[in-house]
Structures are given as structure tokens and as C-alpha cells.
Amino acid sequence: MSDTKKMVKKLETDKILYFTPIILIIGVCVYLGINLKRANELINYCFAFVTGNFSWLYQFFTFGCLLVCLYLIFGKYRNLRFGNEKPEFSTFSWLSMIFTAALGGSVVLWATIEPFYYLIGPPFEVKPYSYEAYQWATAYPLFHWGFTGNSMYCALGVAFAYMFWVKKKDVNRASSATSMLLGDKITRGWVGKVIDVLLILSIVGGIATTLGLATPLASELIVSVFGIPRTMTMDVSLIIFWIISISLCVYSGLHKGIKWISNIRMWLIFGVMAFVFIVGPKVFMLNNFCEGLGNMMQGFFKMSFYTEPFANKSFDGFPQWWTIFYWAWWASYASQMGIYFARISKGRTVKEFCIAILTATGLGVWIFFAVFGNYTLHTFINERLPQLADTLNNSGNAKAVVQVWGTLPFPKIFLFAMLLMTLLATITLLNGTAYTLAILSTKKITGEQEPAGWNRISWVFVLGILALVLMAIGGLKAVQTSSVLVSLPMLFIFIIIIVGFFKVAKEDDWGNFQRDAVKTVPLAIEVDAVENSDAKSI
């Protein structure tokens, strides 16, 4: 028996951090599953309560994170490095990992259909399908997937990187980072456990949203490619397929297999994007992206604080459905992404780190909106899909997206490529997330150890059940609510982490601070950094 297997057997599961969130999630799933009618009412109430009462908080928090990042870029810490060692990765490799961090299967889905959502339901009381609606339809996606959302990862990432590479401390969990402000005595007690349970629930909620979008898309692609009628059985079969695939990887030690799958996925993503650009309306794509970028910059502050208090007294309008949802979705991933970016950024300056995350991650997504989103708008303008709005409203975004893709040349081949990409992207996403959740729920794990295989697989199983329940409830709001609910308490934890970083950095007089302690390897996302550029992969 290998040393690795021996170490796995010796690892002890943190019973509070493992069983508490799993019992809560299973309990919610059972209740919602046997009360689907009541579940829909409850989902609507929870979504309206959080987005209606706390829209202002999400808007102020995300814009505040952006201000923090700007201060870090131009302030006194800008030229300080995370540790005295040389960077672990070349600049090109480092930027590539950041660039691809957000590129998952559902990004292509949103890039295809999100602009059309805004065209038929525009903000600011604009008339649908008007010229002004087209302008906002090209601007808002760039805003939602741009600097502001990424600023959450950046602000938290600086705090985690400081703990990793300057203070030489392991930061597996949010409770470890909050100790910078709250102190070790508090965070090592029940308060720390509560913080870590909330972190786990946040990650689960964010991934459930992603899985709740990816599964219907994969099902619709199967229907289009193979002509098989879509049923709930197909969705369940897809979840089982993903569980079995990850189980094989876990128990066969196929880390190289996951890396190979991840690389195939990236080639497919860039391949389909290049194909759509080549065969699509290139001049229209470039011109509309250029105009959309200008519109986004012009309306940036208006979009950043838009809550619609007068036009929509129930606070369930455009900003709640879209902007607040996106900030909540990003927040559910923020800790995981912050740790990942910190892990790969040893030896980088604060300014390098912030500029790279604010620009490279967003740029990677913007390219897809420039190509796929503008292809959809061009297709609709030229009346090649006049029924697209009806399909979107009556059959959901997955079917609408497949209809758009079906207008491309060689539709069967293209749709098969998109099916393969969606399946592979979900495998790598679930594997990376299950690994992170297993680490969070394991006691005293070192950099040379791996969490137990059963632990990882159990989290995949839980994620699959939650996604199926959300899909059974039906509608986009169900999967949106998953992220919205779990993100709210995390905002306060993130504020504690960011404030704590500035407090400790000031006390340490960072820049003159030196530490001779033996370097400790960070643990949060242990899989090969290139492999886990799927840290978010929404």
C-alpha cells in the first residue's frame, strides 16, 4: 500500500463542518422535493426578500470592493510583493490561468442569450426592442461580467495572498482569514465553525446554480443531436453520469485524466468561439462590441447604483433579477476564487495582482459575449429566429440557446461539440469543487495529503441532488435563488476579511516586515494550478 493511501486513511473528517451543511442541504431538498408547489412560493419569497431588502448592500459592497482594488493599485502597497520568492509561474502562464478561470460551459450559454434577455426586458423603463434597448443589451453583459464582479475576487485575493506568502499561514477556511480582525481565540471556537459552515453553503449554492444551468443545456443538446425526447429521467441520468465519472477519477487516481479533460475543454471552448466568429457577421460583432463597451463606460455609475425604487415598489425588477443576482453569484464563489488566485500569485506585486484579475478574467468572458451575444442579436435582427422570444419565455434559456446555435453551418457537428464541451466542463467543475469542499471538511490536512475519496464523492452527490430539486421546481429564479440566499451572510464575512487585512498590514508595517518561519504550503485548492483554472468555471 502506498504512502498516499496510508495518509488518506489517517485523515479525520471534521464532523461539524461535514455533517452540518450536508444535513441542512438534504433537509431543504427533501422539504422542497415533497412540496414543489409550496417550494415555488417559498423561492419567490426568499428571492424577493433578499434582493428587495438588500439591493443597496450588494451595490455598495461590490462598488466598495472596486474602490479597494483601485487603492491597492495606486496606493502605498502597490509595489509590495507577496513573499520574497520568485514567482512560481511565468507571467504568460500566470495570466493564462487567470484568463481562463471564468471560462466554463455556462459562460457560453449566458454569452449567447443574456443580451437577448435585456433586449426583450430592458432596464430603466426602456421600450423592448427599441434602439435604446439594443444599446443596453450590449452594455449590461459587459458590466455584469467585468471589473465590478471581479473586484470581489481581487480584494479577497490580496488578503489571502498576504496570509499565504507574507504571514506564511495556511488559509484553508474563511475563519482563518477572519482571525486577522477577530483574533484566533474567537475564530477557533464556535464562531469560526459558523463562518466555515456558511462558506461551505455559499460554495454549494453557487455551484448548484451553475449545475442547474448546465444540466438543462446538456439535455437540450442531447435532444437536438440524437433526437431523444427530453425527460426528467435524462436530467437525472446526466447527474448520475457526472457522479460516476468523478468517482472513477477519484478512486483510480486519475489526476492526469482530469487535467487532460480540462485541456480538451479549453481547446473546445476557444475552437467553437473561433468557428462562430469566422462564419458569423464579423464586422457587426466588432462594431457592436465596440459600441457596447462605450455604452458600458458611459453608464457605469448609473448601473453600479441602480435599484429601481420608484418604478418598481415591490423591488423585483431588472436590477434584482440581474445585477443583484450576479453580485450574489460572484459572492458565492469569491472565497474559492480569491484563494485560488492567491495560491498562484507568489512573488507578484499587489499592483500586478489587482490589474491582472480586474482585466484578464473579464477580458476572457467579454470575448465570448462579443462573438456569441452579437451573433444572437444579428440572427434576430435578420429575422432568422423570429420565435426566439417565445422559446425563451415558454421553454427556457437552454432550448433558446440551442435554437440559436442550430442556425450555424454544420449544426449537428457544432451542437455535438457544444455537448462534449458542456459535459467535460461540468466534470472538471464538480471535481474541483468537491475537492475544495472535502478539504474544508477535513481536519489537519497537509499539502502532501488528499481528502478521502468518499468525502469528495458525497459532495458531488449532494450537489447533484440540490441541482435536480431546483430544476424540478422550475424556472430561472429557482437556480438564481440558490446563490442569492447563501451569499448574503458571506458579504459580512468578506468585509471582516478585507478590513482585517488592512489592519494587520498596517500593524506589520508591510514592506519592512520579514518573517523567518518555515514556509507552509497553502492547501485551499490543492489540484495542479493549471488543471484547476476551473476554480470558478461558471
Side-chain angles (χ1 to χ4, degrees):
M1 185 179 293
S2 68
D3 292 338
T4 302
K5 290 184 178 180
K6 289 179 182 178
M7 283 190 289
V8 169
K9 286 187 175 182
K10 291 178 182 178
L11 293 178
E12 183 181 355
T13 300
D14 189 315
K15 293 180 175 59
I16 294 177
L17 296 185
Y18 178 78
F19 286 108
T20 302
I22 282 187
I23 290 172
L24 287 172
I25 294 165
I26 296 296
V28 169
C29 288
V30 170
Y31 176 78
L32 296 179
I34 61 179
N35 299 279
L36 288 179
K37 188 174 181 180
R38 170 64 178 159
N40 197 42
E41 298 174 359
L42 188 60
I43 288 290
N44 289 332
Y45 172 79
C46 292
F47 186 89
F49 176 80
V50 175
T51 59
N53 288 288
F54 298 100
S55 296
W56 59 273
L57 176 61
Y58 281 95
Q59 295 284 43
F60 279 133
F61 174 77
T62 50
F63 193 79
C65 285
L66 183 59
L67 293 180
V68 168
C69 294
L70 292 176
Y71 172 76
L72 291 169
I73 291 172
F74 298 104
K76 64 180 181 179
Y77 298 123
R78 64 185 183 277
N79 294 319
L80 300 181
R81 294 187 179 273
F82 297 121
N84 296 321
E85 302 92 342
K86 291 182 179 179
E88 187 175 359
F89 305 100
S90 68
T91 299
F92 178 79
S93 296
W94 179 63
L95 290 174
S96 296
M97 286 186 277
I98 294 174
F99 180 82
T100 57
L103 300 184
S106 57
V107 167
V108 185
L109 180 147
W110 283 119
T112 302
I113 205 64
E114 187 176 334
F116 191 74
Y117 266 117
Y118 304 154
L119 179 64
I120 65 177
F124 308 116
E125 297 297 300
V126 171
K127 184 179 178 180
Y129 303 107
S130 64
Y131 174 68
E132 194 175 359
Y134 275 101
Q135 288 183 308
W136 287 117
T138 57
Y140 249 106
L142 304 183
F143 172 70
H144 286 152
W145 296 78
F147 307 120
T148 308
N150 291 328
S151 69
M152 282 188 265
Y153 309 148
C154 181
L156 285 171
V158 169
F160 286 124
Y162 185 79
M163 293 286 282
F164 276 149
W165 305 117
V166 180
K167 300 288 283 184
K168 307 297 184 184
K169 290 185 177 180
D170 294 339
V171 189
N172 275 344
R173 301 167 179 168
S175 60
S176 302
T178 56
S179 66
M180 290 189 289
L181 184 64
L182 302 180
D184 290 335
K185 184 177 180 180
I186 293 177
T187 56
R188 287 176 181 173
W190 66 268
V191 173
K193 295 293 185 184
V194 170
I195 290 172
D196 291 329
V197 168
L198 290 173
L199 170 61
I200 291 173
L201 292 175
S202 174
I203 294 173
V204 169
I207 295 298
T209 297
T210 303
L211 200 56
L213 294 168
T215 305
L217 177 60
S219 294
E220 290 294 344
L221 287 167
I222 290 172
V223 170
S224 298
V225 173
F226 300 105
I228 304 172
R230 185 184 172 188
T231 62
M232 190 63 181
T233 303
M234 181 183 293
D235 292 341
V236 173
S237 299
L238 280 169
I239 298 292
I240 293 173
F241 166 76
W242 284 318
I243 293 173
I244 292 174
S245 299
I246 294 172
S247 300
L248 290 174
C249 292
V250 169
Y251 282 109
S252 301
L254 297 180
H255 297 299
K256 290 184 179 179
I258 288 291
K259 184 176 181 179
W260 179 77
I261 289 173
S262 181
N263 291 337
I264 293 282
R265 174 187 69 93
M266 291 311 306
W267 282 109
L268 278 171
I269 288 177
F270 284 109
V272 297
M273 181 193 67
F275 175 77
V276 175
F277 181 74
I278 291 170
V279 304
K282 292 175 281 296
V283 175
F284 177 84
M285 291 175 179
L286 295 171
N287 280 331
N288 215 28
F289 174 70
C290 182
E291 181 167 335
L293 191 60
N295 291 331
M296 187 271 289
M297 291 178 177
Q298 184 180 31
F300 181 80
F301 289 102
K302 186 175 184 179
M303 292 185 282
S304 295
F305 298 101
Y306 178 40
T307 57
E308 209 175 47
F310 298 110
N312 182 22
K313 293 182 180 180
S314 60
F315 294 102
D316 62 350
F318 184 95
Q320 288 76 31
W321 263 91
W322 293 109
T323 304
I324 305 308
F325 156 66
Y326 269 121
W327 297 164
W329 199 12
W330 295 172
S332 68
Y333 280 100
S335 181
Q336 186 178 0
M337 289 291 284
I339 290 172
Y340 169 69
F341 287 138
R343 169 65 184 87
I344 64 174
S345 299
K346 178 177 67 175
R348 299 291 170 181
T349 67
V350 172
K351 181 163 63 174
E352 284 177 325
F353 182 86
C354 293
I355 291 176
I357 293 174
L358 289 179
T359 57
T361 307
L363 181 62
V365 179
W366 281 4
I367 293 173
F368 284 86
F369 276 95
V371 174
F372 284 90
N374 286 320
Y375 178 81
T376 300
L377 294 178
H378 187 270
T379 301
F380 181 76
I381 291 170
N382 288 276
E383 299 184 350
R384 294 175 61 194
L385 277 177
Q387 78 285 8
L388 186 58
D390 291 335
T391 302
L392 186 60
N393 291 325
N394 299 325
S395 302
N397 53 28
K399 192 173 184 67
V401 165
V402 172
Q403 278 191 358
V404 173
W405 293 344
T407 64
L408 288 159
F410 312 108
K412 290 289 185 182
I413 297 175
F414 183 83
L415 292 175
F416 179 78
M418 297 305 293
L419 172 61
L420 183 60
M421 185 203 71
T422 302
L423 294 175
L424 297 181
T426 307
I427 289 174
T428 55
L429 170 65
L430 284 175
N431 180 71
T433 303
Y435 194 97
T436 301
L437 292 170
I439 286 176
L440 290 172
S441 56
T442 301
K443 288 184 178 180
K444 297 179 181 179
I445 185 171
T446 70
E448 299 300 321
Q449 294 175 304
E450 295 222 1
W454 65 266
N455 192 334
R456 293 167 65 179
I457 293 170
S458 66
W459 283 112
V460 178
F461 185 74
V462 169
L463 291 169
I465 291 176
L466 181 56
L468 286 172
V469 170
L470 293 175
M471 288 186 291
I473 295 171
L476 179 60
K477 184 175 283 188
V479 294
Q480 287 179 316
T481 304
S482 172
S483 291
V484 168
L485 278 179
V486 296
S487 68
L488 181 60
M490 293 306 297
L491 298 188
F492 300 99
I493 295 172
F494 295 158
I495 291 171
I496 291 173
I497 292 173
I498 294 168
V499 172
F501 156 71
F502 282 107
K503 173 180 175 290
V504 172
K506 182 179 180 180
E507 290 174 353
D508 290 342
D509 190 17
W510 188 19
N512 298 319
F513 177 74
Q514 293 289 329
R515 179 172 289 267
D516 298 324
V518 178
K519 174 185 159 186
T520 304
V521 179
L523 306 170
I525 298 180
E526 177 64 23
V527 182
D528 180 346
V530 177
E531 166 192 330
N532 258 2
S533 58
D534 312 295
K536 178 181 178 185
S537 291
I538 59 180

